[in-house]
Amino acid sequence: MHHHIAQRTMLFTLVVVVIGLHITGIESSATERNLQELLFTNYSKTVRPVENFKDVMKLEVSFQLMMIQDVDEKNQLVTLTGIFTTEWNDYLLKWDPIDHDGIHEMIIPEDLVWTPRIAQMTSATEDFFIPLPGLVSVSYNGTVRTHSPTSFTFPCSMAIRLFPFDTQTCSEALAPWLYDENYMTTESTIEDITRDLTFDNTEWQILSGSAQPLTVYSDYPPKGWSVVVLTLTFKRRPLYYVMNILLPCMLMAILTQLVYLLPCDCGEKMSFSVSVLISMSVFSLLVGDIMPPTSESVPLISRYLLFNTTLVACSIVSATFALRFHHRPPKELEMGHWIRIMFIDILPTLLMMKKWKKVTRVGEANVAMKSLFVPSKQKHSLNIVDVDAEGNDIEDNGRGHTLDTTFEVNTPKSDAFRQEINHLRFKRDADEVSEKMLEEWKYAATVVDRLLLWISLIAYIIGTFVMFSEITV
């Protein structure tokens, strides 16, 4: 019984509270409606709300950055998203809260009150004006506030010299439209526009942001304009470009050094260099697509790609010289004096290579060949030595079968046979000398490869260090 009475009491209390709130809401709505009718009677939204026409109206503005929406390096445009707030005092919109049921603030449509139009000084879109929010907040002391979620795009001169390790500083000026400093001044209520940053950009790291008032003067008409300059400094996160462009380029540059280690007999020395050169060209095209077409500066990544491409091109030239040394024509086997001194005597020692043994020259072989001709009549000691199938001597404990005899070789057939034997011997010895001289040229080609390997490696290390030393952390 008592339980049912308690439930009915609670239900009755709830109904009374709901009815009371409903009646209070009706009375409050009626009070607010009466207040609006009182305030907007004889109110003109086209007239600047100042008591004296010569009074300068103060407009307080602020911008709270939410995120960097986009940075277009190629077109040099920046898009920011945030909350734009304006605040001013309208002396016609004041009331005493005691006389109006304690109403301290009202939310009304913006088309009922006078509102300033704020414009971007350098907008990249067709609409230069900051959009109006649709609703404004009016306080009992005449303070009017607007909060406009907005996104605006403006041009920004990109400093791409250190791309992708670059830091950008972009500025945009906001000013009331058509009102010079004699009618309206602007002040910034928030100096740090990044304090309420909501979303972090995956490509850009925001370093600082500020909003500073400034007076800009124009020549025609000669007036001063009060503006607020938004300045944002942000730094690129380079991980994407390092992993996808710089590291592959470094690996290809290291592969370029391997060209000098390939032997000339393998036949792939030139094709390997050309393949690396084509790969570097592809990377250069990829970087060129994202860079703005400017001649003010060359990006760091483009300079690095050009440096690597130059090294690859030099490797092709050096491979040509090495192949020229290695595949020497038969008529050019005689090595010059200075070439011999440089590539046979001096450089192998400096490069810590094994020294090459000198060989008999062709001219010396010709002199030696003259002693092979024997006279037509003399005593011969013939040493008969057994040979194997390949013509090699088979030693018999260091002894052969010796036959001493004297005979005359004076027949035409004997002279022809002797000359043929001497010619074959001369050709064999000359071929041996030519082969040894060709091996000498091949050794010189190896010295050229080793020399250019060290030159290219040192140039690459120094060039890379000089280029990336400009980066500041």
Side-chain angles (χ1 to χ4, degrees), residues 182-202:
N182 296 323
Y183 295 95
M184 186 178 300
T185 59
T186 56
E187 296 181 0
S188 177
T189 57
I190 299 179
E191 293 186 0
D192 185 9
I193 64 176
T194 64
R195 68 179 188 181
D196 296 322
L197 186 65
T198 305
F199 301 99
D200 194 14
N201 193 280
T202 58

Side-chain angles (χ1 to χ4, degrees), residues 403-422:
L403 175 63
D404 295 334
T405 182
T406 302
F407 59 90
E408 293 184 357
V409 184
N410 52 9
T411 63
K413 292 184 178 180
S414 299
D415 292 339
F417 179 74
R418 184 176 63 254
Q419 291 178 2
E420 184 66 22
I421 293 297
N422 291 336

Side-chain angles (χ1 to χ4, degrees), residues 30 91 110 149 157 172 207 217 240 291 316 324 355 367 372 397 423 427 447-449 459:
Y91 80 101
E110 55 87 13
S157 180
E172 173 65 334
L207 302 180
Y217 296 93
Y240 172 81
M291 289 291 97
I316 296 177
R324 175 66 177 173
K355 294 283 290 183
V367 175
L372 296 177
N397 297 324
H423 174 72
K427 187 176 184 303
V447 174
V448 170
D449 275 338

